[in-house]
Amino acid sequence: MLTFDADHADPVAICDELLNGGGAVKIKGLFTPDQIADARAIIMAHSDNEGEKVTHFQGAAMEEGRANLQRRVWNLLAKGAVFSDMACHPVIMAALSRWLGSEFIMGSIAANRILPGGPGQEPHIDFPYWDFHGVETHPMGLNASFPMNAQITVVLDPFTDESGATAYLPGTQKELRYPTPDDHAHFYNNCARMTGEPGDTVLFFGAAWHCAMPNNADHDRNAVLINYIPKWVKPLEDMPGALPASFIENASPEMRQLLGLNYPYPEVLDQADAVNAEGIA
């Protein structure tokens, strides 16, 4: 995987690798030990004390009765300021402004904790492509020649082959297709792994086939997962609706952008101001 340090994470090189290369890059040490410890403690507390949450790509684990070894924590922005700092990091904002357009928004921010012995996922692609197994429900001609997705994985525990570091098949982002069961053997025989140390961050195009792998280590495998999308794509999470009014009122300009508050649509146009709302002039 193409790797940068935080001071030399070139947006041009990152975007070229996401679109035309392997589909993923790693940025070493993007977050401090204190930030990682803070985020991890919050996630552990919520995942220990809350009931099971909705998850995805875990059909086999559900059938095997092991879904409880994989825990989601949603709506992270409301659970600690560290998650806003992660979502708005200048290195991430600079790369994604080029990748998704300068007014891109956030589709979701959540945590995925896989306990020792926890299951992996089925190979898949990410929102808004994640139900592309139902091709007929999407527009004809839809392809990955331009991005409608960026995924961020902030590593909170060591991501190793043993602990279930995310597997991905380099280059598969170039052909927009959901991997079928017939593809699984090829995927597992040829995949690379998104390994990293706490504080590292992986940025990848979610159209690349990927999945969490089983955790065979003796420690948890925690990560913050952030989905970003163009401003005109419907987000996965209703984040403004889940946040307290005080958070919205005090949000930074960058956070207001990520929450989609700068983009007025959908709008009740019958009640909108009588102005020429769009156009060059």
Side-chain angles (χ1 to χ4, degrees):
M1 191 181 347
L2 183 63
T3 300
F4 300 88
D5 61 51
D7 293 331
H8 300 92
D10 176 30
V12 175
I14 289 172
C15 293
D16 182 64
E17 182 68 12
L18 297 187
L19 191 65
N20 302 309
V25 302
K26 179 164 62 179
I27 304 172
K28 295 286 292 180
L30 191 61
F31 297 103
T32 68
D34 285 346
Q35 288 176 304
I36 295 303
D38 188 13
R40 190 179 188 281
I42 293 168
I43 290 163
M44 294 291 283
H46 280 278
S47 61
D48 280 339
N49 297 320
E50 297 179 356
E52 293 185 14
K53 302 291 184 177
V54 64
T55 190
H56 310 99
F57 315 114
Q58 291 284 354
M62 290 286 190
E63 293 177 2
E64 297 166 3
R66 295 197 300 146
N68 64 315
L69 295 175
Q70 182 263 357
R71 301 178 187 177
R72 295 275 187 171
V73 181
W74 297 97
N75 192 29
L76 288 182
L77 294 181
K79 294 178 169 67
V82 65
F83 301 111
S84 293
D85 294 338
M86 288 178 169
C88 295
H89 194 286
V91 170
I92 293 173
M93 297 292 286
L96 297 190
S97 290
R98 179 177 178 84
W99 179 245
L100 294 173
S102 62
E103 296 180 354
F104 69 93
I105 63 174
M106 186 162 41
S108 174
I109 179 169
N112 191 22
R113 174 188 176 191
I114 303 179
L115 282 69
Q121 300 170 314
E122 69 178 70
H124 61 275
I125 54 181
D126 278 342
F127 184 86
Y129 309 115
W130 66 354
D131 61 348
F132 206 63
H133 47 80
V135 178
E136 71 283 355
T137 68
H138 294 268
M140 63 177 292
L142 185 64
N143 63 78
S145 62
F146 66 94
M148 294 193 295
N149 161 287
Q151 297 296 131
I152 292 288
T153 300
V154 181
V155 178
L156 303 182
D157 290 310
F159 265 41
T160 64
D161 289 353
E162 187 181 23
S163 69
T166 307
Y168 74 106
L169 191 57
T172 46
Q173 81 281 6
K174 300 172 188 177
E175 177 189 3
L176 184 58
R177 185 167 70 83
Y178 196 98
T180 69
D182 290 340
D183 297 309
H184 288 185
H186 174 70
F187 175 88
Y188 291 120
N189 288 334
N190 295 278
C191 63
R193 303 294 287 273
M194 298 181 185
T195 57
E197 295 298 321
D200 293 348
T201 299
V202 177
L203 196 166
F204 67 100
F205 188 2
W209 299 357
H210 66 281
C211 65
M213 296 291 276
N215 183 359
N216 296 316
D218 60 0
H219 61 81
D220 287 329
R221 169 209 184 277
N222 274 290
V224 174
L225 309 178
I226 315 177
N227 168 268
Y228 298 90
I229 50 179
K231 63 181 179 181
W232 35 262
V233 173
K234 186 177 182 179
L236 172 60
E237 288 193 77
D238 178 10
M239 287 180 292
L243 292 168
S246 58
F247 186 100
I248 303 296
E249 291 168 2
N250 295 314
S252 67
E254 293 82 4
M255 182 55 67
R256 291 187 62 83
Q257 172 192 320
L258 293 183
L259 293 176
L261 299 176
N262 297 341
Y263 192 63
Y265 308 110
E267 183 179 17
V268 181
L269 294 176
D270 196 38
Q271 300 174 9
D273 293 339
V275 299
N276 179 45
E278 296 292 348
I280 296 174

